C-alpha cells in the first residue's frame, strides 16, 4: 500500500501540474498508486453512520466553522461555484471534476483522513435523497431550504437506468458532454448528460440546489460525483474519446479553486484528464457496466495505453447527416402544450430508421433559460393530446430536458440567456413504428410540455424557444 504521506504528495502533484505528465514509463510505485487509489463509494451501500459518511459530516462541519477569511470556508467554497461555474458548454465536465478533486483534498486535510474519498449519490439506483442528508440543523449534511422531501422520488424517465444507458450510448463528445465554447461561462449548448439528469436533479432537490450557490447543500457534491461517475464510465469504460481540440484541452481555469491548504490553484482542462486513473476510482454499481477495466491497471504497458487514450482524445465528427427544421418560435406556459411540425424527406427518414445504428436527435434551439429551474420540459412525438398529466410510459414520450440557472448571476443581468438542448427521440420513433406502423413519413409533430417540479408554489413561467430541428444520422462504431 502506498504510504499516506506519499499519496498526499502524489495527489498534490497531480493537482498542481496535471496527471498527464506522470505516466511516462515503467514505474512500479506509480502502478501501485493506481491500483490503490481511493474508491469513491455508492451512497446506497453506506449506512448513515458509515465512517465515510461520518468523515464527510465532520469535514462539512469543519468547513462551516472556518473563519470567513479562509477560502476553504463552506460558504466560500459555494461562492467559487457562483463566481466561476461553467454550464451549457464543454468546460462543464472538467471544471466540476477539478472542483470535486479539491473539495475532496480539503476534506482530507481538515479531518486528517487521507483515505477519504467522496461518495456519490446514484440517483438511478436510489432516486430519493439519502437518509444521511436529512434530520435537523444539528446534522451538517441537512439543508433546510430543499423543496424535495424525504419521500420525494426523482423521475425514472430522466434518471432511470434506461435513460442513463441511452445517455451513455451517445458516442460523440458534444452530444454527451455539451457544446464547444470560447469563454468559460458562455451558454453554447447542453449535451444530454448536463441538460437532462444534471439539470433535473438540481431542480428536483430545489432550495439552494436550484441556483448557482447550490454547493451550500452538501448533497451537491454527491450529485456532481455521480455526474463525474457517468463521464468516467462513458470515457474510460465504454472507451469514447474526449475531444482533442486544443481550444478545449489547453483552456486554463485561473485561480478558480484552492488546494487543501487554501492556496489558489490554476490548471488546464488537460490537467484533469487522468484524475480518475491516478487519484480515485468508482465503486461498481448498477448504473451501467462494471468498470473493472479501470479498477486495476496491472502492467506498465496497460497504464501507457490508458494514458494515451485519455490524453490524446480524438477529433469529433458529427453523426448528423441531414437536418430538418420546423418553422417559427415556440411559447407555452407551464402546464400547457406547444406543437411544432417538422417537414421531412421521407426516403432519408426511412433509411435511417432501417439502419441498426440510426439515430434521431432533436435539438431545441435558442431556448430561454429561466432564472430558476422550477419546471422541466417533456417531449412527445405525434401526440396531439399530450399534456402535463400524460404518463412518461406513453409510447409517444420521447424524453425530457431541464434548466439550471440563477437570476442573481451576471448571466441574467440583461435578461434571460439562451442555449440549445438535445433530446434523443430514437427509441420513441422506433416504438411508434412498431405500435402504430409509423414508416416513411413527410412530417413529424413534436409536442413540448413544460411541467412544474412537485412541492413548489404555483409556477407561472413560460417556455420560450426560437427553433426546433431534427437531425438524423448513423452512429459510427468506436
Amino acid at each position: 500500500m502506498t504510504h499516506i504521506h506519499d499519496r498526499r504528495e502524489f495527489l498534490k502533484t497531480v493537482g498542481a501540474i496535471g496527471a498527464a505528465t506522470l505516466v511516462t514509463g515503467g514505474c512500479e510505485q506509480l502502478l501501485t498508486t493506481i491500483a490503490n487509489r481511493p474508491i469513491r463509494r455508492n451512497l446506497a451501500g453506506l449506512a448513515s453512520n458509515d465512517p465515510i459518511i461520518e468523515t464527510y459530516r465532520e469535514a462539512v462541519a469543519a468547513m462551516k466553522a472556518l473563519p470567513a477569511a479562509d477560502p476553504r470556508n463552506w460558504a466560500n467554497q459555494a461562492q467559487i461555484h457562483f463566481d466561476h461555474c461553467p454550464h451549457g458548454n464543454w468546460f462543464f465536465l472538467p471544471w466540476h471534476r477539478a472542483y470535486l478533486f479539491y473539495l475532496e483534498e480539503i476534506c482530507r486535510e481538515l479531518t486528517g483522513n487521507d483515505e477519504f474519498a467522496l461518495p456519490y449519490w446514484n440517483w438511478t439506483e436510489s432516486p430519493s435523497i439519502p437518509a444521511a442528508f436529512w434530520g435537523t440543523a444539528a446534522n451538517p449534511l441537512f439543508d433546510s431550504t430543499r423543496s424535495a422531501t424525504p419521500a420525494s422520488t426523482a423521475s425514472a424517465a430522466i434518471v432511470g437506468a434506461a435513460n442513463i444507458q441511452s445517455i451513455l450510448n451517445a458516442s460523440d463528445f458534444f452530444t454527451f458532454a455539451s457544446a464547444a465554447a470560447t469563454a468559460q461561462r458562455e451558454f453554447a449548448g447542453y449535451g444530454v448528460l448536463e441538460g437532462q439528469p444534471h439539470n433535473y436533479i438540481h431542480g428536483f432537490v430545489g432550495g439552494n440546489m436550484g441556483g448557482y450557490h447550490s454547493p451550500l447543500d452538501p448533497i451537491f457534491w454527491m450529485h456532481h460525483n455521480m455526474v463525474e461517475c457517468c463521464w468516467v464510465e462513458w470515457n474510460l469504460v465504454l472507451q469514447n474519446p474526449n475531444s482533442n481540440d486544443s481550444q478545449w484541452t489547453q483552456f486554463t481555469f485561473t485561480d478558480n479553486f484552492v488546494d487543501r491548504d487554501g492556496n489558489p490553484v490554476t490548471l488546464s482542462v488537460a490537467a484533469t484528464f487522468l484524475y480518475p486513473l491516478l487519484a480515485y476510482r468508482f465503486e461498481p454499481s448498477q448504473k451501467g457496466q462494471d468498470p473493472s477495466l479501470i479498477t486495476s491497471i496491472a502492467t506498465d504497458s496497460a497504464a501507457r495505453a490508458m494514458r494515451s487514450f485519455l490524453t490524446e482524445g480524438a477529433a469529433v465528427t458529427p453523426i448528423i447527416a441531414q437536418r430538418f427544421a420546423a418553422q417559427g418560435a415556440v411559447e407555452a406556459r407551464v402546464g400547457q402544450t406547444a406543437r411544432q411540425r417538422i417537414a421531412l424527406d421521407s426516403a432519408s427518414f426511412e433509411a435511417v430508421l432501417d439502419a441498426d445504428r440510426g439515430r434521431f436527435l432533436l435539438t431545441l434551439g435558442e431556448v430561454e433559460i429561466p432564472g430558476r429551474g422550477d419546471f422541466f420540459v417533456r417531449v412527445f412525438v405525434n401526440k396531439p393530446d399530450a399534456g402535463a398529466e400524460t404518463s412518461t410510459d406513453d409510447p409517444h414520450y420521447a424524453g425530457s430536458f431541464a434548466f439550471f440557472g440563477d437570476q442573481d448571476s451576471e448571466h441574467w443581468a440583461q435578461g434571460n440567456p439562451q442555449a440549445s438542448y438535445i433530446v434523443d427521440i430514437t427509441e420513441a420513433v422506433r416504438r411508434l413504428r412498431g405500435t402504430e406502423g409509423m414508416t416513411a413519413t413527410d412530417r413529424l409533430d413534436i409536442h413540448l410540455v413544460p411541467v412544474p417540479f412537485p412541492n413548489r408554489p404555483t409556477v407561472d413561467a413560460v417556455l420560450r424557444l426560437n427553433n426546433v430541428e431534427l437531425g438524423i444520422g448513423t452512429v459510427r462504431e468506436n
Side-chain angles (χ1 to χ4, degrees), residues 204-220:
F204 164 75
V205 176
N208 283 327
M209 272 284 280
Y212 283 2
H213 280 109
S214 47
L216 288 172
D217 188 335
I219 200 64
F220 167 93

Side-chain angles (χ1 to χ4, degrees), residues 39-164:
I39 300 174
R40 292 183 172 180
R41 304 281 186 188
N42 184 351
L43 276 171
L46 304 178
S48 293
N49 62 348
D50 186 278
I52 294 172
I53 300 292
E54 292 293 354
T55 298
Y56 184 50
R57 188 176 282 121
E58 178 186 349
V60 173
M63 279 183 268
K64 289 181 177 181
L66 287 173
D70 192 319
R72 300 169 301 172
N73 167 280
W74 188 251
N76 289 337
Q77 284 294 299
Q79 192 65 34
I80 288 173
H81 191 267
F82 184 87
D83 291 339
H84 301 291
C85 64
H87 287 279
N89 66 50
W90 61 355
F91 303 121
F92 165 76
L93 286 174
W95 189 94
H96 286 84
R97 171 175 284 179
Y99 195 35
L100 290 167
F101 175 88
Y102 286 107
L103 190 281
E104 193 170 64
E105 283 289 279
I106 291 169
C107 289
R108 290 169 178 159
E109 180 68 24
L110 295 180
T111 63
N113 182 0
D114 269 342
E115 300 295 327
F116 173 75
L118 285 169
Y120 64 100
W121 172 24
N122 188 329
W123 9 258
T124 298
E125 290 179 32
S126 307
S128 297
I129 298 173
F133 292 79
W134 294 104
T136 67
N139 179 9
L141 305 184
F142 173 63
D143 187 307
S144 63
T145 70
R146 295 171 189 152
S147 299
T149 70
S152 297
T153 302
S155 171
I158 302 177
V159 303
N163 193 52
I164 298 305

Side-chain angles (χ1 to χ4, degrees), residues 101-417:
F101 175 88
Y102 286 107
L103 190 281
E104 193 170 64
E105 283 289 279
I106 291 169
C107 289
R108 290 169 178 159
E109 180 68 24
L110 295 180
T111 63
N113 182 0
D114 269 342
E115 300 295 327
F116 173 75
L118 285 169
Y120 64 100
W121 172 24
N122 188 329
W123 9 258
T124 298
E125 290 179 32
S126 307
S128 297
I129 298 173
F133 292 79
W134 294 104
T136 67
N139 179 9
L141 305 184
F142 173 63
D143 187 307
S144 63
T145 70
R146 295 171 189 152
S147 299
T149 70
S152 297
T153 302
S155 171
I158 302 177
V159 303
N163 193 52
I164 298 305
Q165 193 59 61
S166 175
I167 288 170
L168 293 172
N169 288 342
S171 61
D172 83 272
F173 176 78
F174 294 117
T175 298
F176 177 80
S178 296
T182 57
Q184 183 168 325
R185 307 198 84 178
E186 175 186 349
F187 285 115
Y190 286 84
V192 289
L193 178 63
E194 185 183 4
Q196 294 181 32
H198 166 264
N199 286 2
Y200 172 83
I201 288 293
H202 273 282
F204 164 75
V205 176
N208 283 327
M209 272 284 280
Y212 283 2
H213 280 109
S214 47
L216 288 172
D217 188 335
I219 200 64
F220 167 93
W221 306 91
M222 312 292 98
H223 165 49
H224 266 276
N225 207 15
M226 175 62 175
V227 174
E228 166 69 6
C229 185
C230 289
W231 185 20
V232 168
E233 183 157 329
W234 180 86
N235 186 204
L236 277 74
V237 180
L238 300 178
Q239 292 284 280
N240 293 298
N242 293 320
S243 172
N244 65 2
D245 191 322
S246 61
Q247 292 189 50
W248 184 61
T249 63
Q250 300 307 310
F251 189 89
T252 300
F253 304 125
T254 303
D255 292 345
N256 284 198
F257 315 107
V258 297
D259 65 16
R260 64 193 298 155
D261 298 315
N263 300 313
V265 175
T266 293
L267 75 162
S268 68
V269 166
T272 70
F273 289 167
L274 295 186
Y275 283 12
L277 182 63
L278 303 179
Y280 51 84
R281 52 184 160 148
F282 284 93
E283 178 179 53
S285 71
Q286 297 174 11
K287 168 187 55 61
Q289 299 181 25
D290 183 346
S292 57
L293 177 66
I294 58 169
T295 55
S296 177
I297 303 295
T299 65
D300 177 62
S301 60
R304 282 173 175 265
M306 185 64 73
R307 181 279 312 267
S308 296
F309 174 76
L310 292 174
T311 58
E312 291 175 8
V316 178
T317 304
I319 69 167
I320 299 303
Q322 289 180 277
R323 298 179 183 274
F324 304 94
Q327 300 298 315
V330 173
E331 183 171 306
R333 289 201 167 274
V334 171
Q336 298 177 347
T337 302
R339 187 190 77 174
Q340 280 288 70
R341 174 161 290 179
I342 300 176
L344 303 171
D345 173 70
S346 58
S348 298
F349 181 88
E350 186 71 9
V352 173
L353 193 57
D354 284 337
D356 289 340
R357 299 173 66 83
R359 309 304 291 175
F360 299 85
L361 299 181
L362 188 70
T363 298
L364 296 311
E366 297 180 56
V367 182
E368 186 175 289
I369 305 173
R372 297 287 290 188
D374 289 327
F375 69 96
F376 62 102
V377 182
R378 291 178 180 151
V379 179
F380 295 86
V381 175
N382 292 355
K383 180 71 173 172
D385 60 346
E389 302 305 317
T390 305
S391 171
T392 55
D393 292 328
D394 187 290
H396 297 262
Y397 173 74
S400 297
F401 63 97
F403 305 104
F404 180 57
D406 197 318
Q407 67 263 26
D408 295 327
S409 169
E410 77 276 8
H411 285 101
W412 277 261
Q414 304 301 321
N416 289 25

Side-chain angles (χ1 to χ4, degrees), residues 412-425:
W412 277 261
Q414 304 301 321
N416 289 25
Q418 296 178 340
S420 65
Y421 296 79
I422 297 173
V423 177
D424 187 337
I425 67 170

Side-chain angles (χ1 to χ4, degrees), residues 342-355 360 381-382 396 426 428-445 470 472:
I342 300 176
L344 303 171
D345 173 70
S346 58
S348 298
F349 181 88
E350 186 71 9
V352 173
L353 193 57
D354 284 337
F360 299 85
V381 175
N382 292 355
H396 297 262
T426 306
V429 170
R430 293 194 183 284
R431 276 197 307 271
L432 294 181
R433 183 189 214 187
T435 61
E436 300 186 7
M438 187 171 85
T439 179
T441 179
D442 61 358
R443 66 182 184 274
L444 206 65
D445 286 340
L470 179 68
I472 65 174

